[in-house]
Amino acid sequence: MASMANRANPLLNNLPHFLTWRALGFRTICSGRMGFSSQSQRQLDPESPVAGTKVLETFKEEFEIGDRLITFESGKIARFANGAVVLGMEETKVLSTVAAAKGDAVRDFLPLTVDYQEKQFAQGVIPNTFMRREGAPKERELLCGRIIDRPIRPLFPAGFYHEVQVTASVLSSDGKQDPDVLAANATSAALMLSDIPWAGPIGVIRIGRISGQFIVNPTMDELSLSDLNLVYACTRDKTLMIDVQAREISEKDLEAGLRLAHPEAVKYIEPQIKLAAKAGKHKKEYKLSMMPDRTLEKVGKLAEVPIEAVFTDPTYGKFERGEALENIMQDVKKVLEEECDEESLRLLPKAVDTVRKKVVRRRIIVEGFRLDGRRLDEVRPLYCEAGNLPMLHGSSLFNRGDTQVLCTVTLGAPGDAQRLESIVGPPTKRFMLHYSFPPFCINEVGKRGGLNRREVGHGTLAEKALLAVLPPEDDFPYTVRINSEVMASDGSTSMATVCGGSMALMDAGIPLREHVAGVSVGLVSEVDQSTGSIKDYRILTDILGLEDHLGDMDFKIAGTQRGITAIQLDIKPAGIPLDIICESLEPARKGRIQILDHMEREISVPRTQDDRNSPRLATLKYSNDALRRLLGPLGALKRKIEDETGARISVSDGTLTIVAKNQSVMEKVLEKVDFILGREIEIGGIYKGRVSSIKEYGAFVEFNGGQQGLLHISELSHEPVSRVSDVISIGEQLSLICIGQDVRGNIKLSLKATLPRPRSETNNVVEESVSSTKEAPSIWASAGDLSSNGQQNQSSISEAGGINASTSSPPILIRSAAECDEEEKSAGLVQNSKATSRPVGASETDHKPKTFHQDSSVLAKPGLLQTINDKMSKSFSQKEGDKTEVRSPVTAKTLKIGTKVTAKVYQIRTGGLVLDLGGGIRGMYRFETNGKNDFEVDDELRVVCVSFSSKGIPVMSLVDDDE
């Protein structure tokens, strides 16, 4: 072959080996065909290089916690990192790596960065973004990073100021386990393997509780049923971090959960020690930035006495105290400059801070007094105000001492819920709390950037605290957003957010079970330097910002009168005994009760308003076919309605939700929706329509989404009519009653049935009736205040005879006289029968309306969605002349004109009374001129039904005692 190649082209003899036929895998060229050489032939070729096999030395530790098998593995991936560990639980695997900067530290703090990443490949999904890749860190990633950061930070040695970066990445997820706890344990193991000085290892565990039984490492499905989500981190003998979300768990039960979590978390520690013994590096000698004793002693002599004088004067405010301390530091600086002590000048701020800490802690432990002169268990003065911004859905202002928070509530449709892209947990979130800490709240200048880890963490803590008391989604399906704006900060703004948020939710009319309040508890301890154990300590209730800075812990606890809903524990020393943590729960409960009492005096129940400018929400039930008609092609019709009215419409399976700025906008939207979708036409129902054409024999009226009916000339008035145009005109809007259909199925309408009858006619004919199959929408109306005893403010009865929609009683279906007679006939009470009312076009065997049944009406005070009790008790009636006496309770079927009942006064309004007729039915009585109007709530009155309003509400009149 080589000779042939040389004869054909001598240049081929100089080709490099990788371009030869054999190197490319070709065997020969023979008879015009090309073949491939086998693997064995290539292995025999001495000129072909053979790649060696790399061996990745892997170290593994397996153990069990609960019924889960857990694996630590190192050495296979991320081998260049200072420390790298993959932790696996079933099919969920998390990689955590650590690295430290090589140069000398030039800072006076620990620049520790923790990045947690959840990329969509971990669940086999391509990101649904324009670039099809992950963007900036999401809120959940920031929160999981904080779960890792908080327990590991206190264990770095004092003076270690080298930059350290932790990167935790989810490699795969089966959706059963939350990877956050796995990432924290993997980070602890990675730090143990690295050469970075660190006083670990630690163990992190999650505890749940279902039906009173604690569960270790619960799955996501179990967490959805659990009333406790406890994340606990510790060393062998001390607590490092606690994070709790609960549904009003008692302090006693929480303590039991904490004491169970500690030994379970310790089980993570021994495998890490064994893994570090196999694959760990020797710890490197990093340079520590320690404070020289000479500098600390010199600054202490110059500053300790004036600092103590400032801290013993309770008249100082936050900024006055800070200014006095700054003057002291400047005086010390002048002395050091005169002595040319460059080292002490460089460390002066930290030295003065150390002296401040020593003075404050000594005074608290020895004398039992705090910076502002309060006792250890005393809460700062409180100020609560709800509804301070009346144009908003809900608002509140909360002050605790100098800390001030403004909270606002905005309600939206279910479609406004936040969409989440987490690899575990629910896909949406309907309750959001956004916490903002602007620079002006501490009188500083700064830039406003994107997501801030601290702001996200504080907002999530308050969100978890309030989530426990929100009504279920089935009862209150709306999206809720709270904005917390910190107006002034002097400690524990997150707990002030909980208090302000709870009041704002009540002000918005949201039916919370009860108020939620929060308080922050601190700790000042005295440590034995030889053993490291705590000799003496004091627990502080409602700590100031400076007490937080100079103390040992910030223990935030939020809850109701009945129990705890959220906890966040952050500490500064390398652990605190669990006994002290449990002891802190009782002072926190007492402080929380004090705050709750002030909040309940301001607002104790959800309120509503009668203001027509307040926002409105409505929920309507339709068939999916009807909703498709409302949306139009590509949603064009829905967008057109939104553009014309300014409302927002959300559509889900069989449900239409409307959010309007005020009542007038809501009425416009409902009118447009009714015109497009229409309503099931039922005999006896009252409907609005416009006259589309006039004929000699009557007029055609268009209503309910293009449907047309005939208004015959004989149905225009009780008086004879010669010409139709004398009574109505084209384009005129009328309220008409459906009286039936002709043989061709055309709808027959009547105008005279809505007009008062001449007095000569019988009183047993119903003047107005409502029998619509499309139920009244559930309208949330944020309006009017509640008095201290929970009663509604008095409001006038509308001129049309109906009760205002935002404060009306549950709607009732008033049947026509014909319907009532038919019911009585079926019961054997009436001999002469009349036609039974049924929907137009319905079959003889199906008299039920097809669509639009809804179980809720107006969201009235105290904010609950009122429902119609369709299981009313059966009434017994007897005829007396031309009137009917009904024994209580009355029902919608038995109530008609002429019915006499004994009613109770339900509400007193400026124009009349709202009466409780029994059986969940409300009626109204208008005050008569020169008549009695000195009624009281719960007075019993004998009344008779004289008519019905346009909304189907019974209009009652007093019965004389001699009747």
Side-chain angles (χ1 to χ4, degrees), residues 33 43 55 71 176 204 253 266 277 527 606 610 664 738 795 911 930:
R33 293 178 298 172
Q43 290 177 351
V55 178
T71 303
K176 296 179 181 179
V204 185
D253 291 344
V266 169
V527 179
D610 293 329
S664 62
C738 175
S795 60
N930 300 325

Side-chain angles (χ1 to χ4, degrees), residues 173-239:
S173 173
D174 56 8
K176 296 179 181 179
Q177 294 290 333
D178 195 326
D180 57 353
V181 169
L182 306 184
N185 285 293
T187 300
S188 172
L191 286 168
M192 289 294 295
L193 297 184
S194 70
D195 62 11
I196 302 172
W198 188 64
I202 67 171
V204 185
I205 197 76
R206 173 174 269 110
I207 301 292
R209 191 180 71 161
I210 300 177
S211 300
Q213 299 295 320
F214 290 107
I215 301 174
V216 179
N217 284 333
T219 63
M220 296 302 298
D221 292 338
E222 290 171 334
L223 274 179
S224 64
L225 302 175
S226 173
D227 62 355
L228 174 66
N229 185 357
L230 165 64
V231 178
Y232 180 86
C234 65
T235 60
R236 285 191 182 274
D237 56 352
K238 292 183 179 180
T239 300

Side-chain angles (χ1 to χ4, degrees), residues 690-702 708-711 724 728-731:
R690 284 187 173 86
V691 178
S692 59
S693 62
I694 294 179
K695 306 295 182 183
E696 293 181 0
Y697 51 85
F700 286 96
V701 180
E702 183 178 341
Q708 282 198 343
L710 173 62
L711 175 59
V724 177
I728 59 176
S729 59
I730 295 177

Side-chain angles (χ1 to χ4, degrees), residues 420-438:
L420 306 176
E421 295 183 356
S422 172
I423 61 177
V424 293
T428 59
K429 184 170 70 170
R430 72 182 183 102
F431 176 61
M432 300 159 283
L433 193 151
H434 297 153
Y435 168 97
S436 179
F437 192 90

Side-chain angles (χ1 to χ4, degrees), residues 655-917:
T655 303
L656 173 67
T657 304
I658 303 172
V659 183
K661 184 177 180 181
N662 51 48
Q663 181 63 28
S664 62
V665 174
M666 176 62 72
E667 292 171 355
K668 291 179 182 178
V669 178
L670 292 177
E671 183 178 353
K672 290 180 178 293
V673 170
D674 281 346
F675 186 81
I676 294 171
L677 299 184
R679 291 185 289 180
E680 191 80 7
I681 302 303
E682 189 176 69
I683 297 175
I686 297 180
Y687 306 96
K688 288 184 178 180
R690 284 187 173 86
V691 178
S692 59
S693 62
I694 294 179
K695 306 295 182 183
E696 293 181 0
Y697 51 85
F700 286 96
V701 180
E702 183 178 341
F703 59 98
N704 286 336
Q707 293 171 295
Q708 282 198 343
L710 173 62
L711 175 59
H712 195 267
I713 189 172
S714 63
E715 296 294 334
L716 287 174
S717 174
H718 295 292
E719 303 294 334
V721 177
S722 59
R723 288 196 307 173
V724 177
S725 58
D726 292 341
V727 181
I728 59 176
S729 59
I730 295 177
E732 183 177 354
Q733 185 169 339
L734 304 174
S735 293
L736 306 170
I737 289 181
C738 175
I739 58 175
Q741 60 179 339
D742 60 19
V743 293
R744 298 181 180 180
N746 297 321
I747 299 172
K748 299 169 64 177
L749 303 172
S750 175
L751 177 61
K752 71 178 183 180
T754 65
L755 303 176
R757 289 180 177 270
R759 293 186 178 272
S760 60
E761 300 191 17
T762 178
N763 292 330
N764 287 332
V765 180
V766 178
E767 294 180 3
E768 301 176 33
S769 66
V770 176
S771 180
S772 172
T773 59
K774 172 183 169 276
E775 300 182 8
S778 295
I779 300 181
W780 174 89
S782 168
D785 289 336
L786 285 177
S787 59
S788 59
N789 60 3
Q791 292 182 345
Q792 295 184 356
N793 290 339
Q794 300 178 5
S795 60
S796 62
I797 297 180
S798 63
E799 295 179 1
I803 298 177
N804 199 332
S806 63
T807 59
S808 65
S809 305
I812 58 177
L813 189 64
I814 305 299
R815 298 183 181 273
S816 65
E819 254 184 296
C820 294
D821 290 342
E822 182 67 13
E823 291 292 331
E824 292 173 350
K825 174 187 174 182
S826 63
L829 299 177
V830 177
Q831 298 298 327
N832 297 325
S833 63
K834 297 184 180 181
T836 303
S837 171
R838 69 174 186 270
V840 172
S843 65
E844 294 295 331
T845 58
D846 183 11
H847 290 182
K848 295 183 180 180
K850 297 179 182 178
T851 57
F852 312 152
H853 282 285
Q854 183 177 340
D855 62 351
S856 58
S857 173
V858 178
L859 181 59
K861 195 176 286 191
L864 295 173
L865 290 172
Q866 302 176 347
T867 58
I868 303 173
N869 183 4
D870 54 1
K871 295 183 179 180
M872 297 180 178
S873 303
K874 184 178 181 181
S875 302
F876 300 95
S877 63
Q878 58 184 7
K879 299 294 275 294
E880 291 183 1
D882 61 343
K883 297 190 177 181
T884 304
E885 177 74 23
V886 178
R887 301 191 185 106
S888 183
V890 71
T891 65
K893 293 183 178 181
T894 60
L895 181 62
K896 57 185 179 179
I897 292 178
T899 300
K900 292 191 292 186
V901 296
T902 300
K904 283 188 176 182
V905 177
Y906 182 73
Q907 285 180 354
I908 302 174
R909 304 196 177 184
T910 56
L913 306 175
V914 178
L915 302 177
D916 183 359
L917 307 181

Side-chain angles (χ1 to χ4, degrees), residues 384-398 406-411 431 466 469-471 476 480-483 498-516 599-611 614-617 780-787 793 859-864:
C384 304
E385 181 182 355
N388 55 306
L389 299 173
M391 281 299 296
L392 304 184
H393 294 198
S395 61
S396 70
L397 188 66
F398 180 82
L406 172 67
C407 289
T408 61
V409 171
T410 307
L411 295 173
F431 176 61
L466 294 170
V469 298
L470 284 179
F476 194 83
V480 182
R481 183 194 184 208
I482 297 180
N483 275 85
V498 174
C499 303
S502 181
M503 291 193 299
L505 288 172
M506 286 241 183
D507 182 60
I510 298 176
L512 300 186
R513 288 204 301 272
E514 53 185 312
H515 268 310
V516 183
M599 294 167 59
E600 289 176 354
R601 285 198 292 268
E602 172 64 19
I603 179 170
S604 58
V605 291
R607 73 177 68 181
T608 58
Q609 298 173 356
D610 293 329
D611 185 6
S614 59
R616 295 290 192 271
L617 293 174
W780 174 89
S782 168
D785 289 336
L786 285 177
S787 59
N793 290 339
L859 181 59
K861 195 176 286 191
L864 295 173

